[in-house]
């Protein structure tokens, strides 16, 4: 799986390469600068072969050093380039200082930031801060310049609103990260000027190095990065760090495939509990999802009042009358029912009755929606019952009800970096719950109690905004249940299901409704090369 790195991990990788003599820091900086220039001309081929005009904003660290490399390389291609430095040249770190000196062009200071001589440049390059941004920005001139870099902000807003589609967006390029963004959390680090609100440079193109950083995919990160390109700078991909977060991708082992000689019971029997009459649709969606991902059999556990309603709407699914917790415990004496799903449309009272019986059975269990909300006032009781074969699938509201203190830390306004991230929050929740937690959203984060963590980012080329439709979460719960019925371990089931969910939405595109999702599974399974990122 592809790694999503923190700033510290990226530094460790860089340091290891330098200390083992594979490369020098200066050479890495040169490769980074070359990568940025290459990405610019790939993104905007019309700029190639012409002598354009660029403003490069350089910061006081190595991100600024990358900026000076880019300034030099563009000038070597005949561009008119103006470099502006925030900071004291004498205090630049060694590699950045070498590139500042190699640049040989004029460099203005921060006081001139807003008076850059080149107006309306073809390129505005943000090399102020990258992975080293550790605190809020307190220099007013710099703060204001984040706006100048982005001086066609109105154009962005107009495009976002659907008007002015003829407006060419500014060619703003962020080196590594848009300045102001925390590389570990995707949060905008605050500033000392409340009158301006929080501020971050927005870019049309972000060029990062070696691997994506968590801040590119979490929280607000993607809305500031524009298009994200990662350039190889020759660092080894091998990192031996259990802490590293993975990017969700198509599973290879265990695989979605079924073997020739298996029969339906080999693939497990999923059991999805429904709510009462008029509320059974959500569980039926989940059940259909479980069946499509390959559970051998799927049965709906239905209260007597809803039996007729459900029976009239199903074919391959089976039905079993479950009035309450006692019924469920008796039904679960059948050891073949190996994965349960409770929550979608279940109703709070029925959830309070059924969830303890389901958890006591020690089966694989997915708890979603009402099964989580029903325990908002007695989270300690729920936590007591959870075990290692459970997966919790909260959205933001459900997460906050179950883990209020963690949610509060996550939503607090950040000042210092690295800020508390969704990854930190979900890891903490999984450790407390003693089971896998999948926190939904465009940046779905999945963590296990042992610290394993993956992000299923529906951003950039994997954007799937059509998933924001009623019932799509129910299908996700069904996918996880079906995969656990098939024997996928909880973490693998949750990550694979989240990946599949987004791939189904991408396959269909606009107009998607939740009913479509299970029916798209065969098309996604049939694509051997569905991408990981
Ligand atoms: N780590 C690596 O492997 C590589 C790093 N490179 C570049 O180096 C960057 C990281 O360099 P650095 O660690 O020097 O960090 P940065 O250049 O991102 O920033 C660090 C500097 O900014 C200052 N600073 C931080 N927050 C501030 C604030 N709010 N207001 C004012 N000053 C603030 C710090 O005191 C320090 O001087 C990466 O983002 C990337 O662009 C590349 O050269 C290629 C390889
Ligand atoms: N903008 C978005 N981009 C990608 N995925 C999204 C987006 N909005 C919601 N989703 C996904 O859609 C699902 C919605 O689930 P949930 O909030 O439980 O809704 P429901 O209860 O209606 O099913 C989650 O898997 C979530 O990750
Ligand atoms: K930057």
């Amino acid at each position: 799986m592809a790694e999503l790195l923190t700033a510290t991990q990226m530094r460790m990788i860089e340091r290891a390469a330098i200390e083992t003599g594979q490369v020098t820091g200066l050479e890495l900086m040169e490769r980074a600068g070359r990568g940025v220039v290459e990405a610019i001309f790939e993104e905007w081929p019309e700029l190639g072969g012409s002598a354009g005009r660029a403003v490069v904003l350089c910061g006081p660290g190595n991100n600024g050093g990358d900026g000076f490399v880019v300034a030099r390389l563009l000038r070597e291609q005949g561009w008119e380039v103006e470099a502006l430095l925030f900071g004291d040249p004498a205090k630049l770190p060694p590699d950045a200082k070498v590139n500042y000196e190699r640049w040989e062009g004029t460099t203005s200071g921060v006081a001139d930031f807003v008076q850059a001589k080149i107006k309306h440049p073809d390129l505005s390059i943000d090399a102020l801060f990258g992975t080293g941004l550790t605190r809020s920005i307190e220099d007013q001139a710099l703060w204001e310049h984040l706006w100048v870099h982005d001086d066609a902000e109105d154009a962005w807003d107009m495009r976002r609103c659907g008007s002015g589609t003829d407006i060419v967006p500014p060619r703003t390029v962020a080196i590594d990260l848009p300045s102001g963004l925390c590389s570990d959390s995707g949060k905008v680090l605050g500033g000392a000027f409340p009158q301006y609100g929080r501020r971050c440079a927005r870019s049309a193109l972000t060029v990062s190095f070696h691997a994506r950083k968590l801040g590119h995919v979490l929280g607000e990160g993607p809305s500031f990065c524009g298009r994200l390109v990662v350039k190889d700078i020759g660092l080894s991909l091998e990192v031996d760090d259990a802490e590293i977060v993975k990017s969700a991708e198509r599973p290879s082992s265990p695989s979605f495939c079924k073997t020739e000689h298996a029969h339906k019971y080999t693939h497990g029997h999923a059991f999805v509990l429904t709510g009462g009459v008029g509320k059974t649709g959500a569980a039926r969606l989940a059940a259909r999802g479980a069946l499509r991902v390959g559970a051998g059999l799927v049965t709906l556990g239905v209260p007597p009042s809803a039996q007729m309603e459900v029976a009239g709407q199903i074919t391959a699914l089976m039905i079993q009358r479950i009035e309450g917790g006692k019924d469920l415990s008796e039904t679960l004496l059948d050891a073949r029912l190996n994965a349960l799903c409770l929550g979608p449309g279940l109703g709070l009272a029925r959830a309070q009755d059924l969830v303890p019986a389901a958890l006591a059975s020690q089966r694989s269990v997915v708890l979603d929606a009402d099964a989580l909300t029903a325990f908002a006032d007695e989270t300690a009781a729920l936590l007591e019952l959870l075990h290692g074969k459970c997966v919790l699938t909260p959205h933001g509201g459900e997460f906050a009800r179950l883990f209020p203190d963690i949610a509060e830390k996550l939503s607090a306004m950040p000042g210092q970096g690295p800020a508390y991230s969704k990854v930190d929050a979900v890891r903490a929740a999984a450790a407390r719950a003693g089971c896998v937690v999948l926190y939904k959203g465009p940046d779905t984060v999945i963590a296990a109690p042992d610290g394993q963590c993956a992000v299923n980012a529906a951003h950039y080329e994997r954007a799937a905004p059509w998933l924001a439709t009623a019932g799509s979460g129910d299908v996700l719960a069904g996918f996880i249940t079906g995969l656990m019925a098939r024997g996928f371990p909880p973490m693998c089931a949750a990550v694979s299901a989240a990946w599949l969910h987004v791939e189904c939405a991408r396959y269909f595109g606009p107009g998607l409704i939740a009913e479509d999702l299970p029916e798209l599974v065969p098309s996604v399974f049939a694509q051997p090369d569905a991408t990981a990122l």
Side-chain angles (χ1 to χ4, degrees):
M1 281 195 188
E3 286 96 355
L4 295 165
L5 301 176
T6 62
T8 306
Q9 289 160 348
M10 182 65 191
R11 247 173 255 130
M12 271 169 45
I13 294 168
E14 177 197 39
R15 208 172 305 135
I18 294 171
E19 282 170 5
T20 53
Q22 289 169 37
V23 69
T24 61
L26 201 56
E27 175 55 23
L28 279 180
M29 195 171 273
E30 190 69 19
R31 290 178 195 171
R34 261 201 315 263
V36 173
V37 173
E38 210 176 83
I40 287 170
F41 292 123
E42 283 161 3
E43 182 69 15
W44 298 294
E46 69 275 18
L47 292 180
S50 65
R53 300 154 78 238
V55 174
V56 188
L57 313 174
C58 300
N62 290 318
N63 197 253
D66 295 350
F68 283 114
V69 176
V70 172
R72 167 166 48 81
L73 295 178
L74 285 175
R75 207 185 44 186
E76 281 170 11
Q77 298 199 25
W79 280 57
E80 184 188 344
V81 184
E82 182 174 3
L84 299 148
L85 173 64
F86 169 72
D88 177 354
K91 291 188 182 153
L92 285 168
D95 298 332
K97 194 161 183 202
V98 170
N99 279 304
Y100 165 77
E101 281 156 6
R102 281 185 186 167
W103 151 241
E104 289 176 345
T106 52
T107 309
S108 311
V110 66
D112 306 321
F113 260 29
V114 263
Q115 284 102 33
K117 288 174 208 69
I118 297 182
K119 304 290 177 204
H120 305 293
D122 299 292
L123 279 173
S124 175
I125 296 174
D126 160 18
L128 284 167
F129 305 107
T131 50
L133 184 76
T134 48
R135 56 189 191 275
S136 59
I137 292 167
E138 286 163 8
D139 183 286
Q140 185 148 2
L142 172 62
W143 185 252
E144 284 172 1
H145 203 82
L146 293 180
W147 250 199
V148 177
H149 164 72
D150 195 16
D151 75 346
E153 173 71 4
D154 291 347
W156 282 99
D157 282 341
M158 287 170 76
R159 280 171 68 82
R160 273 202 300 274
C161 297
S163 58
T165 44
D166 55 331
I167 293 172
V168 179
R171 294 194 196 92
T172 44
V173 181
I175 300 188
D176 212 5
L177 289 144
S179 296
L181 195 67
C182 166
S183 64
D184 291 8
S185 66
K187 290 180 177 173
V188 175
L189 293 186
F193 310 100
Q195 70 270 31
Y196 297 127
R198 294 183 310 141
R199 187 166 285 187
C200 179
R202 190 191 313 278
S203 289
L205 173 68
T206 295
V207 189
S208 188
F209 315 112
H210 179 60
R212 288 182 176 192
K213 311 299 172 296
L214 281 166
H216 291 134
V217 296
L218 293 179
E220 300 166 273
S223 60
F224 291 103
C225 290
R227 226 174 81 72
L228 175 65
V229 171
V230 177
K231 285 287 176 184
D232 180 12
I233 52 170
L235 291 169
S236 157
L237 268 172
E238 293 304 316
V239 260
D240 181 22
D241 185 345
E243 284 286 300
I244 286 182
V245 178
K246 305 288 193 309
S247 175
E249 60 187 32
R250 186 187 187 101
S252 50
S253 177
S255 142
F256 285 138
C257 301
K258 288 189 172 181
T259 55
E260 275 171 53
H261 305 294
H263 56 78
K264 64 186 176 192
Y265 284 108
T266 318
H267 297 296
H269 190 159
F271 197 60
V272 182
L273 281 304
T274 83
V277 68
K279 301 271 195 248
T280 64
R284 282 186 282 112
L285 279 173
R288 185 88 183 160
L291 196 59
R292 278 286 186 206
V293 291
L297 301 92
V298 182
T299 294
L300 284 157
V302 188
S305 66
Q307 260 179 294
M308 292 300 286
E309 173 178 308
V310 174
Q313 308 217 42
I314 56 172
T315 43
L317 299 170
M318 294 177 293
I319 190 166
Q320 164 82 37
R321 182 181 159 132
I322 300 288
E323 191 155 10
K326 191 163 165 290
D327 261 0
L328 180 58
S329 300
E330 280 166 16
T331 300
L332 292 178
L333 293 174
D334 179 349
R336 290 173 301 181
L337 296 169
N338 65 339
L340 315 180
C341 175
L342 293 94
L346 195 58
L348 298 182
R350 189 161 158 78
Q352 276 165 349
D353 187 16
L354 297 184
V355 168
L359 293 175
S361 74
Q362 297 295 310
R363 299 296 206 290
S364 297
V365 181
V366 175
L367 296 184
D368 185 40
D370 288 347
L372 302 173
T373 303
F375 293 88
D377 295 330
E378 36 186 340
T379 48
L382 178 67
L383 294 178
E384 186 79 10
L385 293 171
L386 292 170
H387 53 77
K389 284 156 76 181
C390 300
V391 177
L392 313 184
T393 57
H395 57 48
E398 290 153 357
F399 187 90
R401 285 194 278 276
L402 280 186
F403 307 104
D405 53 326
I406 300 176
E408 200 176 313
K409 255 174 108 175
L410 181 60
S411 61
M413 174 77 89
Q416 297 297 109
Y420 195 75
S421 74
K422 191 165 173 180
V423 161
D424 298 324
V426 183
R427 276 183 162 149
R432 184 181 297 175
C435 68
V436 169
V437 176
L438 178 152
Y439 183 164
K440 292 185 264 201
D443 56 350
T444 293
V445 177
I446 308 124
D450 66 359
Q452 280 184 76
C453 187
V455 179
N456 183 53
H459 287 300
Y460 308 112
E461 66 282 7
R462 286 194 83 222
W466 319 285
L467 274 177
T469 179
S472 72
D474 307 327
V475 179
L476 175 66
F479 282 173
I480 302 170
T481 311
L483 292 176
M484 289 211 288
R486 293 183 58 185
F488 281 49
M491 182 69 185
C492 182
V495 176
S496 305
W499 175 87
L500 181 64
H501 196 233
V502 165
E503 291 306 307
C504 289
R506 291 181 61 221
Y507 193 91
F508 191 95
L512 177 91
I513 58 172
E515 277 93 331
D516 300 321
L517 286 165
E519 313 318 313
L520 294 160
V521 169
S523 308
V524 174
F525 279 179
Q527 286 189 308
D529 58 345
T531 50
L533 290 171

